[in-house]
Amino acid sequence: MTTAAAKLHGGDMAMRLPSPITNRRLSTLPRMASFAPRRHIVALAAKRSPKRLKYSTPRFTKEGELVYIEVDPCGVDAWKLQPVIDLLKQGAVGVIPTDTVYAIVCDCKNHSAVERLRRIKKIESSKPLSILCRSLRDIDTFTMGFPRGDGHGHANIFRAVKQCLPGPYTFILTASKELPKQCVGFGTTNVKYASRKNVGVRISDDALCQAILQEMDAPLICTSVKGPKENEWMIDPTAIGDIYGPEGLDFLVDGGVRVAEPSTIVDMTGPYPKVIREGKGPILPWMVVEDDESPLRHDLIASGT
């Protein structure tokens, strides 16, 4: 800086002006500050676990009110169900008809959807749920299957079961590793060897239910729509929407008023097929009826359709 310039800035103040080198350092500060937030964001992204990202499922974001679709119970206008199928694949939770009572359903492979279903129905995480299957192939995939004859006097129950499916039965089977853990309960010290490993399976003989299932990539988690009283099922879709809509339902398929008859539950995990709840499905000769007040029986009856 020249002497004239120094005098222009006033006496000793000219001596305290930064050197050209300091000026260059100061000029870089704004540029460095602009990069700082970007480095911070990259550091946060690096902390996310690749394994966690691999198994994460999309969370459904609800926009607007309950989606209500009225369909002919015979399924002649099943094309109306496409929005419901799309919602289920996105992680929605809703109500559909079955061949027994109405059921609250969601995609069994969507963890956040299963959590929401449990919260809407107020089902503890340790309690088992049932699945609506598309076919016997689903049952073979997501469970260990039905008992088969072994040539040593044990009957081939599978042949008998095929005669009543699809139909109003829920069969309790041992879950396979293909079924996500949250579908059968996380388990506690009390239920570790019971509800954690068992799951109720259904193949519903209902045109609307089957139309939805055939478009899905996996079974649907299902639990019956019950009223405020114990062993009271809600069969009027309008009333279901009024009660469960505010609880967080995303859609409701109106297939008409149903008869309050839940499915017959048969436990296939023991030495013989044991009926633990008599319902719409008739008791067949190869089924055994006996009293059972076990916690597992109570849990399955509470959640089954």
Side-chain angles (χ1 to χ4, degrees):
M1 182 178 292
T2 62
T3 305
K7 289 180 179 179
L8 182 63
H9 288 279
D12 294 338
M13 186 172 291
M15 302 302 296
R16 292 195 293 271
L17 290 174
S19 67
I21 297 177
T22 307
N23 274 332
R24 285 197 299 271
R25 288 176 181 172
L26 289 174
S27 66
T28 62
L29 286 179
R31 189 179 305 169
M32 292 174 65
S34 65
F35 282 108
R38 193 171 298 174
R39 286 201 304 270
H40 182 61
I41 294 173
V42 172
L44 286 176
K47 291 182 180 180
R48 299 184 69 183
S49 168
K51 184 176 180 181
R52 190 174 181 182
L53 290 173
K54 180 180 177 181
Y55 294 102
S56 63
T57 53
R59 288 184 175 271
F60 178 77
T61 303
K62 185 174 181 179
E63 297 180 1
E65 299 179 353
L66 176 73
V67 176
Y68 184 95
I69 298 179
E70 187 173 2
V71 191
D72 188 288
C74 297
V76 294
D77 51 356
W79 55 269
K80 294 181 180 178
L81 297 171
Q82 189 57 50
V84 168
I85 296 166
D86 295 338
L87 287 171
L88 282 169
K89 290 181 178 181
Q90 295 170 25
V93 178
V95 171
I96 67 172
T98 71
D99 57 348
T100 53
V101 295
Y102 276 90
I104 303 176
V105 299
C106 71
D107 184 352
C108 76
K109 290 192 173 182
N110 191 301
H111 186 92
S112 63
V114 176
E115 288 180 340
R116 289 182 58 224
L117 181 145
R118 287 185 179 276
R119 186 166 60 251
I120 291 170
K121 186 68 184 295
K122 297 179 175 59
I123 301 175
E124 297 177 10
S125 60
S126 62
K127 306 299 183 183
L129 295 167
S130 297
I131 56 174
L132 280 168
C133 298
R134 298 165 291 183
S135 64
L136 290 169
R137 180 174 295 180
D138 273 350
I139 295 178
D140 287 338
T141 300
F142 293 95
T143 75
M144 302 304 292
F146 291 96
R148 299 173 185 263
D150 56 6
H152 298 284
H154 296 92
N156 190 341
I157 300 299
F158 179 66
R159 290 182 181 177
V161 168
K162 287 197 299 183
Q163 303 303 314
C164 54
L165 288 177
Y169 293 91
T170 298
F171 291 103
I172 310 304
L173 296 170
T174 302
S176 71
K177 293 182 179 179
E178 293 297 321
L179 189 67
K181 184 172 63 174
Q182 70 268 23
C183 300
V184 289
F186 291 102
T188 64
T189 55
N190 295 327
V191 296
K192 180 178 180 181
Y193 299 103
S195 63
R196 181 182 174 85
K197 296 184 178 180
N198 296 335
V199 63
V201 298
R202 291 213 59 206
I203 301 181
S204 175
D205 189 19
D206 179 86
L208 302 181
C209 184
Q210 280 294 327
I212 294 171
L213 283 168
Q214 294 308 318
E215 297 298 323
M216 298 299 297
D217 301 321
L220 293 175
I221 287 290
C222 69
T223 178
S224 58
V225 182
K226 288 191 172 183
K229 297 180 181 179
E230 189 175 358
N231 295 328
E232 179 184 67
W233 285 266
M234 299 187 69
I235 56 176
D236 184 350
T238 303
I240 293 172
D242 292 340
I243 297 297
Y244 283 94
E247 296 294 327
L249 282 185
D250 303 310
F251 66 85
L252 190 153
V253 177
D254 183 348
V257 176
R258 299 287 158 135
V259 178
E261 285 187 283
S263 63
T264 295
I265 301 180
V266 185
D267 186 357
M268 309 292 288
T269 61
Y272 51 85
K274 181 171 61 177
V275 177
I276 60 177
R277 182 183 73 187
E278 185 175 356
K280 185 176 180 180
I283 305 300
L284 301 177
W286 50 272
M287 300 177 183
V288 177
V289 181
E290 64 179 36
D291 294 332
D292 181 7
E293 296 300 328
S294 66
L296 174 60
R297 174 182 182 275
H298 182 271
D299 293 341
L300 291 169
I301 288 177
S303 63
T305 57

